[in-house]
Amino acid sequence: MTERRMMLARRSSQEAVFYESITRKLRWSVILIVLITLPLHQPQTVPFILLISLACMFNLSRYSNLLMRSTWYSSRFTFLAADNILVTALLIEAGGINNPYTFLLALVIVTAAYWYGKRGAAIVTTFQILALSVVSFVRPFHSITISPVSSLILIGCLIVIFAILVEQLTSAERVKRIKLEKLEYEKTQISNRLLALINSLGDAVATVDENGFITIANTALTELSDREADLVGKRISTVLPLQHAFKPDLDWSEVLRTAPSRYRDYTLKRGKGNVVSLELTITPITQNGLEKSEFIILCHDITQDRTLDEQRQEFISVASHELRTPLAFIEGALSLALATPKEIADPDTLKFLKKAYHNVLFLSSLVSDLTLLSKAQNDALEIQPQVVEPKQIVNHLIEDYAPQAKEKYLDLKAEFKPDTTSVLSTEHHIEQILRNLISNAIKYTKTGEIVVGIEPAQNNGILFSVRDTGPGISQADQKKLFTKYFRSEDYQTRETGGTGLGLYICQEIAKRIDAKLWCRSRIGHGATFYLEVPPFSKLDKDQKEVVAAGVSDLVNQL
Amino acid sequence: MEETEKHILWVEDDDELANLFIARMRKDGLLVQRAENGEKALAMFDALHPDLILVDLMLPKMSGFDFIQSIRSMQGIAQPKILILSAMGRPDDETKARKFGADGYMIKSQVSIIQIIQTIRNYLDLPNSATAGVAIPL
C-alpha cells in the first residue's frame, strides 16, 4: 500500500473510531433511558423491549471489540445489518405493525443509514436508537395525537439537528487531527531523509550507549560486519571485534571511556580471510549543549592507504639503499684524498674538500635517519616479539662503541643491577634506540664516562639507562628534546653536529614497542636517558612459537 | 707508515666501494690483502696468517657463513677476528653471523670508512688512526 492510501485508511478508521467513541456514549445513555421508561410501556411489550435492548447492548459491546481489530471495515456491514434488524423490530413493536408512522420512520431510517453510512455507521445506529427512544417516549403518552405530517417534520428536524451537532463536534476535532497528522508526516519525512543520508554513507556509522550496545547502525556497518539482521541492541564488541598487529584486541569499554579518540592501527577480519584496516573515530554525542552518555562511532576503510603505505615503505627502502652506496663512495673517496692533506697543493682546494667531506657525512647520517624514521612510523607489521636478553644487547653495543669512546678517552661501561632477567619485546628496536643514546652520549661528552645501566622495571619490564658526564641539558631544551629537527641553541652542543632527528626517531621507535623514553639532566651535571621497555602482552600462535624457540635456545645455552 | 705485524684479509668478490676502502685503509697504514672468494681466501690463509678477516656475506661459490664456519672450525691456530662487512642487511643476518662466530657486523653503505678503520684498529689493539684528519664521525 502506498503511504498516502495508508494514511487515508488510517484517517478514515480514525474518524470512525472518533464517531464511535461519541456515539457509543450516546447509545448507552439512550438504552438506559429506554430501560428507565420501561414501566411506562404496556406490560405485554415490556419483555420484548427488554430483550431487544439487551440484544442492542450485546451488539454494542461486540462492536467495540470489532473496532479494536483492523478488519473493522469488513465486519461493518454485518454489524449494520444486525443493528438495523434489531432497531426495526423495536420500532415495529413500539409503533405497531399497522402504524403508518412505523413505515415512514423505517423509510427515514434506511435513507439516513445510506447517507450517514459514508461517514460512519455508528451515526446511523445512534440515530436509529434516538428515533426509537422518541417513539418509546411518545408511546406511553399515546393520548397526545400528532398528525402524520407534523411527526414527519419533527423527525426530519431531529435528523437535521443531530447531523449539525455531530458535524460541529467532529469538524473541530478533525481540523486538530489533520494538523497533527501533517506534523507527524513532516517529521517522518525529515527523519526518513536523514536515515537515507546516513544509510547511503560509505563509512560505517553507529551510535552506542555507554555500555556499548548499538542504538543506531547504518547499512554500511551491517555490510562491514558481514551481518544480515538488524544490529540494534547488539554489543559493538561482538559486531566489530577489532584486532591489532601486536597489541591486544580493541577494548571497547576502554575506548568509550577515553572518547573522543581516533585509532588507525586496528583491523577487522571479514569472511574469506579478507582483512580491512580501519580508521576509527569515536565521539561523545552532545544534544542542546549537554553531553549525553551516547557515542557515535565512525569507521573509515584505510586498507587502500595501508597498501600505499607498504608500497611507499618499500620504495623508501630501495631508494635509501640506492642513495647510500654512492654516498658511501663519495665519503670514502674524499676521506682518501684528505688522508694525506700535504699532497693537496692548493689551500683552497683543501679547504673545500674538507667542507665537502663534512657535508657528505651529514648527508649520510640524514639518509640513515630518514630511513629509520620512515621505518619506525610504518612498520607495524614487522614487530616479532622475542625473548630479549638485555645484558647481551648492552654488551654488544659496548663492544661496538668502544673504539669511538676510546678515541675520545671516555670510559664506556655497563652496570647491571641484580635480578634483571629477560623481557618479551624486540631486540632490533631496543638496540636502535640504545645505539642512538650511546652515540649521542659519546658525541656530546668531552671527558669522563658513559654508563649503560639495566635494572628491572614494573610489570616484568626492563629499565635501560644511559648516563653521561657531559655538559647536561637545560630545562628549556629538555622540553623540546624529542621533537623533530630539534638542535640545541647551546653553542658547544650545536657545534658537534647531528641531524636533529635522532631523539625524535627514538621516540617513534619506542612507541612501536610501547616503551617509554625520557631524560633527566641538569646543566653542568651530565644527562641520563631512560628507556623503559614493557613486555608484550599479546601473542598469537606464530609469535608464541617464536617465543618458545627463543626460550628453548636459552635453555640450550645453559 | 707500515705496521708489519698485523695482517688483514678482505674476502670480497668485486665491489668498487670495497676497493676504495682497501685503498683508503692502505693509506692509513694498514696491511690489507684481498681474496675474491672463500676458496681463495682459505688458500691464502695459511700463507698470510691474518689477524683480522673482513668478509662480505654475498660471495660466489662458498657463502660468507660457510667461510666463517671453516675458519672457526680450524684447530691449532690462533683464531683471527672476523668482521662482517656486507652490502645490505637483514635483521636476522647479524644474529646469524654472531652465532657462526663473527666478532662484528657492519653494513658497507651505512658506516663511514673512518669507522671501519677505527674498528679494525680497535680489534687489533693498534693505536688510533693518524690519517683521519677531519673530525671522526660517530
Side-chain angles (χ1 to χ4, degrees), chain A residues 184-316:
Chain A
E184 272 290 333
Y185 180 67
E186 277 172 8
K187 228 169 64 170
T188 319
Q189 285 292 88
I190 291 172
S191 75
N192 282 345
R193 277 202 68 203
L194 276 172
L195 268 171
L197 194 118
I198 293 176
N199 274 328
S200 53
L201 277 175
D203 291 348
V205 178
T207 58
V208 295
D209 64 17
E210 59 205 339
N211 297 313
F213 287 99
I214 297 177
T215 49
I216 298 177
N218 74 345
T219 330
L221 182 63
T222 317
E223 274 175 28
L224 180 68
S225 55
D226 291 324
R227 308 242 168 171
E228 308 268 327
D230 189 15
L231 295 178
V232 174
K234 298 220 167 34
R235 279 182 185 276
I236 187 78
S237 48
T238 46
V239 169
L240 286 180
L242 298 177
Q243 300 168 313
H244 197 277
F246 54 91
K247 288 196 197 157
D249 290 356
L250 189 72
D251 180 357
W252 278 102
S253 46
E254 185 67 25
V255 162
L256 296 179
R257 226 173 39 80
T258 55
S261 47
R262 176 168 293 173
Y263 303 86
R264 299 202 79 222
D265 297 332
Y266 287 88
T267 57
L268 180 69
K269 229 180 244 171
R270 302 185 63 199
K272 295 177 195 162
N274 178 25
V275 175
V276 293
S277 294
L278 295 171
E279 182 186 64
L280 270 180
T281 314
I282 297 104
T283 337
I285 297 178
T286 49
Q287 212 169 43
N288 305 323
L290 291 164
E291 225 173 74
K292 294 171 75 195
S293 54
E294 270 195 286
F295 304 87
I296 187 158
I297 295 169
L298 186 77
C299 297
H300 182 56
D301 191 334
I302 52 171
T303 320
Q304 272 280 64
D305 299 346
R306 282 256 168 257
T307 321
L308 286 174
D309 269 350
E310 280 164 22
Q311 287 174 346
R312 182 164 59 95
Q313 180 52 42
E314 215 199 287
F315 170 74
I316 287 173

Side-chain angles (χ1 to χ4, degrees), chain A residues 513-525:
Chain A
I513 52 172
D514 264 342
K516 279 204 283 266
L517 183 61
W518 72 97
C519 166
R520 290 251 187 285
S521 175
R522 252 174 52 203
I523 281 277
H525 293 267

Side-chain angles (χ1 to χ4, degrees), chain B residues 76-90:
Chain B
I77 51 129
Q79 282 286 339
K81 301 275 188 210
I82 297 183
L83 272 179
I84 310 265
L85 201 60
S86 193
M88 179 119 92
R90 284 183 322 204

Side-chain angles (χ1 to χ4, degrees), chain A residues 321 324-325 328-329 331-333 335-340 343 354 357-358 361 368 396 399-400 402-404 406-409 427-428 431 435 439 442-443 553, chain B residues 16-17 20-21 23-24 27 87-88 91 94-95 98-99 103 108-115 118-119 122-123 125-126 128 131-138:
Chain A
H321 180 249
R324 278 205 195 116
T325 312
F329 198 92
E331 189 246 310
S335 176
L336 184 69
L338 290 167
T340 44
E343 286 173 17
K354 282 188 185 173
Y357 187 53
H358 269 300
L361 288 176
S368 291
H396 276 145
E399 245 179 61
D400 282 351
Q404 291 165 16
K406 189 168 132 184
E407 171 68 14
K408 290 181 85 176
Y409 304 104
E427 204 176 287
H428 190 55
E431 198 189 297
R435 268 190 192 280
S439 78
I442 296 177
K443 203 190 300 192
D553 269 350
Chain B
E16 269 199 50
L17 198 57
L20 171 62
F21 284 359
R24 180 66 185 86
K27 208 152 197 193
M88 179 119 92
E94 181 162 358
T95 352
R98 291 197 192 270
K99 254 197 264 179
D103 294 290
K108 253 182 255 174
S109 51
Q110 281 180 21
V111 288
S112 72
I113 181 60
I114 299 295
Q115 280 174 299
Q118 202 54 31
T119 312
N122 197 52
Y123 272 119
D125 286 321
L126 293 172
N128 288 347
T131 65
V134 288
I136 295 176
L138 288 170

Side-chain angles (χ1 to χ4, degrees), chain A residues 431-450:
Chain A
E431 198 189 297
Q432 272 182 338
I433 298 172
L434 288 176
R435 268 190 192 280
N436 207 300
L437 295 177
I438 294 173
S439 78
N440 275 349
I442 296 177
K443 203 190 300 192
Y444 296 106
T445 307
K446 292 217 156 58
T447 59
E449 60 173 16
I450 296 159

Side-chain angles (χ1 to χ4, degrees), chain A residues 531-545:
Chain A
L531 173 71
E532 189 185 318
V533 180
F536 267 134
S537 41
K538 172 191 155 163
L539 288 177
D540 65 24
K541 188 176 76 93
D542 293 336
Q543 291 166 348
K544 279 194 182 120
E545 283 170 11

